[in-house]
Amino acid sequence: MLKSQVLSGGRGKAGGVVLCNDNASLIQEAKRILGSTLKGEKVNALLVEEKLDIVQEYYLSIAIDGEEARKPLIMASIAGGMESEKVAEEEPHLVLKQPFNLPVGICDYHIRKIASFLDLNSEFKSLRKILRTMDAIRFECGAAFSGNKSSCQDARGAFCP
């Protein structure tokens, strides 16, 4: 997988994420994308990743909820992929919003509730590792599971200075 590194969502639909089956196509696509403009930003960097045989994609984010008293919350959805905002709006039953206390942080019971909602009880340790390492004021992650391997795909965040 060849991924344009720009500060924008929707890179896949805009042509900034490309599946390359061999080195020749990787080099050809890298030359095409590097230096081009994607969603109003110049592509100055590319990321090459192994293509996973993804069994299921999920969406995870930690953010400040603007709707409910500006509290921190974890959002999780079984409908991961490129349209997380659309899913939250059109199919809210597929999204779990789990608030947490900022001074206490994310506890195991929060993660167990999310793991249960996502039907990832057997992946609790991987999910806990992903959520506990999100030291940010805003973080989004497309989590993917392939066999016994978990990964955080297309993450973006805003971190404290």
Side-chain angles (χ1 to χ4, degrees):
M1 298 294 299
L2 181 65
K3 298 181 177 185
S4 303
Q5 298 300 287
V6 294
L7 296 173
S8 175
R11 294 173 300 155
K13 286 186 174 184
V17 178
V18 181
L19 172 62
C20 301
N21 293 316
D22 54 40
N23 287 342
S25 64
L26 178 76
I27 291 168
Q28 179 182 356
E29 290 297 330
K31 287 179 180 178
R32 180 183 66 80
I33 296 171
L34 196 60
S36 68
T37 301
L38 184 70
K39 301 197 80 174
E41 290 191 52
K42 186 174 181 182
V43 179
N44 292 316
L46 300 170
L47 174 66
V48 178
E49 284 188 328
E50 171 189 7
K51 182 192 178 296
L52 297 176
D53 293 323
I54 296 173
V55 175
Q56 176 69 45
E57 285 186 281
Y58 303 89
Y59 173 81
L60 291 170
S61 75
I62 296 177
I64 303 298
D65 187 1
E67 298 173 13
E68 306 258 343
R70 311 242 346 120
K71 292 183 179 179
L73 63 84
I74 303 165
M75 285 182 35
S77 176
I78 57 171
M82 295 191 279
E83 307 242 348
S84 57
E85 292 87 3
K86 186 177 179 182
V87 169
E89 187 177 304
E90 295 178 4
E91 299 183 80
H93 64 282
L94 297 178
V95 179
L96 172 71
K97 292 183 177 183
Q98 176 61 58
F100 64 94
N101 185 313
L102 197 53
V104 174
I106 300 169
C107 300
D108 277 359
Y109 70 88
H110 295 124
I111 299 169
R112 286 188 201 288
K113 184 174 180 180
I114 293 163
S116 177
F117 178 78
L118 298 176
D119 197 23
L120 289 176
N121 291 311
S122 63
E123 300 291 342
F124 173 76
K125 288 181 181 178
S126 295
L127 184 61
R128 180 172 59 192
K129 182 178 179 183
I130 290 170
L131 287 170
R132 289 254 169 95
T133 57
M134 292 181 179
D135 187 17
I137 53 177
R138 179 171 174 78
F139 190 88
E140 293 183 26
C141 168
F145 290 86
S146 174
N148 64 352
K149 186 177 181 180
S150 64
S151 67
C152 188
Q153 305 285 315
D154 296 323
R156 62 183 171 181
F159 299 88
C160 296

